[in-house]
Amino acid sequence: MIWQLTSYWKSLVTSVIFGLLLQPPLAQLSTITQPNFVLLMADDLGIGDVGCYGNDTIRTPNIDRLAKEGVKLTQHIAAAPLCTPSRAAFLTGRYPLRSGMDAINNYRVIFWNGGSGGLPPNETTFAKILQQQGYSTGLIGKWHQGVNCESRNDHCHHPLNHGFDYFYGMPFTLISDCQTTEAPEMDRVFRRKLWLYTQMICLFTLTAALGRITGLIPVRWKTLTCLAGFSLLFFVSWFSSYGFVRYWNCIMMRNHEITEQPMVTERTTSLILRESIAFIERNKHKPFLLFLSFLHSHTPLLTTEKFIGKSSHGLYGDNVEEMDWMVGQVLDAIDKEGLKSTTLVYFASDHGGWLERQEDTRQLGGWNGIYRGGKAMGGWEGGIRVPGILRWPGVLPAGTVINEPTSLMDIYPTVTHLAGGVVPQDRVIDGRDLMPLLQGRAEHSEHEFLFHYCGIHLHAVRWHQKDSGATWKAHYVTPKFRPLGAGACYDRGFCPCFGEGVTQHEPPLLFDLSQDPSEAKPLSADTEPLFDTVVERIGRAIEEHRRTLTPVPEQLSLYNVIWKPWLQPCCGTFPFCWCDKEGDSELADL
């Protein structure tokens, strides 16, 4: 008996020692336990454009598969209704006005690659934290957070200065000016005015010259020379930027190198997909973060030939269906490399669909389902409620639907904690870790209040009253829709944040989103007994929120958004900026 006991303990000790000797190093173990992250972000996609959110005519089987295999968020909220501020909030986990990435004027996004505004270097993105945790980090696609600060090559706002090891894509955003067959999109109303002023000045100068020649107008030649010089100077001052938008803004970069100027739009989709899959293949043996920031479904709706005419919603539907196919290709690449169970996949849009984007009878913007409003509208649900889907087999319960308020800013602390990092302690982080909610360990979202800005102007506030289950929404400012009765600002192309184009509400318009998600029936003290209590509580929350704000440099000030020749990225000798380094490189038939 004693001999058997002794033999047992010898065997046990030997097994333990042998197991410890075979144990991989700690660094390797931590690498195995760190999940990969594939973050997929559509551009201008409406929540009503996706099958799993109610669309039964645009085919999105791959996005729908993500929802079936993961968690679908039905109240997923963007921190801003436009690209630049929304993406700044996504990358930093903070409301964009905390980093100066929301505007006090009507220029609410980065307007030029040659501007000086952008995501400040002192902001800490989730990519930077994951990079410090040993992740390979890549951004493929759209950036739209600025490039340079003081010189053409300082790259202070560039993705590589914000935690990404690899970047391939557009430092700007896709616009119709990038495609020669489309009408100009960028600042089109302002450009028309500049052309008109130029013609008026030239006409005045020519009239004065003819009057001098015929003797009808007593004007000196010196005065005429000054007028002619002023006309030329005025024309050059604006045409040097607006006349070459395609060369200045429509460029592709790989890291710091410009590969196409202007971009060759016919191959952009194939290149972005190829780069995304190649990044996954290169980094399959170590933890990685891939942020695939689609150019779909922003105008001019770049769509390859095999998807043209395939949907029942024209070019926009074709474009969405092609993006869904790209999502499927990326998911297939993850499966092929055996990474499905170790990869958290996230899909969202940066904000709501653009209702006003039309050309003649063509609708080129998205659909926001039952939700009122759209892109550029900071308060209405259609501008900020977006698709939100997360999949991680074996960790997140498949087929789950969560109706709690969540935010794009929540991805920041979520991926940070999963990667073993810590969010910065020296600043306010507005996002909340989603994992307890996603896994069912928490019944409610950690967000009690969400603040909905239009530029720096607070338009609405959402209060999730957890004890009652109600989600109240108070609108303090709403845009004036034109024409009357329409659901958008069709007369402007964009709804404004302030001025004559908005209505101030005192008391605010109040809705119970849990009963009226379309925001169709505003409540009043006569129809809602809790009206005064709710408005008062939201008012106190606004005061508390504003006490957390500190002044920061305005990245979207007029000076920062205007084009500066000395900051313009250029692949040649400025102003002769033209190159095609992709050339006729073979593209895999992806």
Side-chain angles (χ1 to χ4, degrees):
M1 179 69 180
I2 296 175
W3 176 85
Q4 288 178 328
L5 189 60
T6 304
S7 176
Y8 168 77
W9 282 109
K10 280 184 179 180
S11 175
L12 180 62
V13 170
T14 301
S15 299
V16 170
I17 293 173
F18 189 71
L20 289 172
L21 289 174
L22 291 179
Q23 190 72 264
L26 184 59
Q28 185 178 346
L29 180 62
S30 64
T31 298
I32 293 172
T33 58
Q34 289 177 305
N36 305 308
F37 300 102
V38 175
L39 310 180
L40 309 172
M41 180 168 284
D43 196 1
D44 285 20
L45 180 73
I47 192 171
D49 294 325
V50 184
C52 59
Y53 283 91
N55 193 304
D56 57 4
T57 53
I58 295 180
R59 293 164 295 189
T60 56
N62 296 294
I63 299 172
D64 298 345
R65 170 160 59 105
L66 273 179
K68 185 177 180 181
E69 297 176 355
V71 179
K72 182 177 75 170
L73 305 173
T74 65
Q75 201 176 160
H76 200 43
I77 307 299
L82 285 174
C83 308
T84 295
S86 174
R87 290 163 182 267
F90 174 71
L91 289 162
T92 64
R94 290 152 51 82
Y95 287 108
L97 79 167
R98 295 194 191 277
S99 56
M101 292 294 281
D102 242 338
I104 61 171
N105 51 47
N106 287 319
Y107 290 93
R108 296 160 55 190
V109 298
I110 299 291
F111 255 71
W112 299 96
N113 280 326
S116 54
L119 190 63
N122 64 349
E123 285 293 327
T124 303
T125 66
F126 56 70
K128 189 171 289 185
I129 297 176
L130 266 62
Q131 191 180 55
Q132 295 166 353
Q133 294 300 117
Y135 275 71
S136 293
T137 55
L139 168 59
I140 312 293
K142 168 176 172 171
W143 175 236
H144 211 191
Q145 298 293 302
V147 182
N148 300 312
C149 288
E150 298 178 354
S151 65
R152 183 167 290 122
N153 295 311
D154 67 29
H155 298 125
C156 71
H157 302 307
H158 190 279
L160 266 60
N161 199 40
H162 280 294
F164 291 99
D165 299 315
Y166 184 75
F167 169 62
Y168 178 80
M170 289 190 75
F172 192 60
T173 183
L174 194 61
I175 49 176
S176 291
D177 304 69
C178 298
Q179 204 163 19
T180 55
T181 57
E182 293 293 320
E185 174 183 334
M186 185 172 159
D187 241 357
R188 64 170 72 187
V189 175
F190 185 51
R191 269 198 266 191
R192 291 194 192 108
K193 290 181 180 178
L194 290 172
W195 268 116
L196 177 63
Y197 297 154
T198 300
Q199 291 168 347
M200 291 173 63
I201 293 170
C202 288
L203 181 62
F204 179 78
T205 303
L206 286 172
T207 302
L210 289 173
R212 175 68 175 82
I213 293 170
T214 58
L216 296 176
I217 302 177
V219 59
R220 291 164 28 177
W221 285 113
K222 185 177 181 181
T223 303
L224 285 174
T225 303
C226 290
L227 275 173
F230 174 76
S231 301
L232 180 62
L233 184 63
F234 178 77
F235 174 72
V236 170
S237 69
W238 70 265
F239 194 77
S240 59
S241 56
Y242 284 107
F244 299 90
V245 170
R246 184 164 165 260
Y247 285 85
W248 300 154
N249 280 346
C250 303
I251 69 177
M252 297 291 285
M253 298 182 76
R254 177 175 287 106
N255 296 328
H256 290 146
E257 179 186 25
I258 298 174
T259 59
E260 297 177 43
Q261 190 170 15
M263 64 193 291
V264 182
T265 55
E266 291 77 12
R267 64 186 180 213
T268 302
T269 296
S270 298
L271 286 170
I272 285 178
L273 183 56
R274 184 182 73 175
E275 289 280 345
S276 300
I277 292 175
F279 182 86
I280 293 171
E281 293 172 346
R282 284 198 309 270
N283 295 284
K284 60 186 177 183
H285 295 304
K286 52 187 172 182
F288 66 83
L289 160 72
L290 171 60
F291 178 20
L292 173 48
S293 179
F294 290 104
L295 302 184
H296 298 62
S297 51
H298 200 293
T299 49
L301 301 173
L302 298 184
T303 309
T304 56
E305 191 65 32
K306 66 180 179 181
F307 283 93
I308 295 291
K310 298 299 184 182
S311 80
S312 58
H313 281 281
L315 184 59
Y316 182 84
D318 300 343
N319 193 253
V320 173
E321 291 190 1
E322 180 175 58
M323 180 188 64
D324 178 80
W325 170 78
M326 293 174 72
V327 169
Q329 294 295 301
V330 171
L331 297 180
D332 289 347
I334 293 171
D335 292 350
K336 177 185 173 184
E337 302 301 337
L339 301 174
K340 185 173 181 178
S341 63
T342 57
T343 302
L344 172 63
V345 179
Y346 168 73
F347 178 85
S349 178
D350 55 356
H351 50 70
W354 190 358
L355 302 179
E356 297 95 340
R357 189 64 177 98
Q358 301 172 333
E359 290 289 348
D360 300 323
T361 59
R362 293 190 302 164
Q363 175 63 37
L364 301 180
W367 182 51
N368 301 310
I370 65 170
Y371 303 108
R372 191 174 184 180
K375 177 179 177 176
M377 304 181 206
W380 295 121
E381 289 290 282
I384 54 176
R385 191 183 288 222
V386 298
I389 303 170
L390 297 101
R391 186 195 76 174
W392 187 1
V395 178
L396 301 183
T400 302
V401 178
I402 293 177
N403 299 317
E404 295 285 302
T406 57
S407 169
L408 266 67
M409 297 184 290
D410 296 340
I411 297 303
Y412 184 96
T414 302
V415 301
T416 295
H417 292 153
L418 288 172
V422 179
V423 299
Q425 302 298 304
D426 61 345
R427 64 199 68 186
V428 176
I429 301 296
D430 298 298
R432 299 291 182 264
D433 187 355
L434 286 173
M435 288 306 290
L437 184 65
L438 297 176
Q439 292 184 302
R441 292 183 282 116
E443 182 181 356
H444 295 295
S445 163
E446 288 189 37
H447 291 289
E448 184 178 9
F449 294 94
L450 284 170
F451 302 91
H452 307 308
Y453 283 91
C454 186
I456 63 166
H457 307 276
L458 183 65
H459 274 205
V461 179
R462 176 186 313 254
W463 177 28
H464 179 41
Q465 194 177 13
K466 299 176 185 179
D467 55 352
S468 69
T471 300
W472 306 97
K473 179 109 164 281
H475 288 260
Y476 295 88
V477 183
T478 56
K480 295 178 180 177
F481 292 156
R482 293 286 188 275
L484 289 174
C489 303
Y490 292 100
D491 60 328
R492 296 170 177 260
F494 270 119
C495 284
C497 296
F498 61 93
E500 295 180 356
V502 303
T503 301
Q504 307 280 341
H505 299 284
E506 181 56 48
L509 297 179
L510 184 66
F511 299 91
D512 180 357
L513 296 181
S514 55
Q515 302 296 323
D516 180 22
S518 301
E519 299 173 290
K521 301 174 182 177
L523 304 172
S524 67
D526 296 329
T527 60
E528 175 52 63
L530 296 176
F531 182 90
D532 292 332
T533 303
V534 171
V535 169
E536 181 183 352
R537 180 64 188 95
I538 292 176
R540 291 202 308 272
I542 294 173
E543 293 175 4
E544 294 165 7
H545 167 68
R546 284 177 171 159
R547 283 197 290 269
T548 70
L549 303 176
T550 55
V552 292
E554 296 165 6
Q555 297 298 322
L556 301 181
S557 65
L558 184 59
Y559 174 78
N560 279 333
V561 299
I562 61 173
W563 182 69
K564 303 174 181 66
W566 61 92
L567 296 183
Q568 176 60 49
C570 180
C571 61
T573 301
F574 186 84
F576 305 104
C577 305
W578 182 91
C579 63
D580 182 3
K581 297 178 183 178
E582 297 293 347
D584 297 322
S585 61
E586 292 185 10
L587 295 177
D589 187 18
L590 297 172

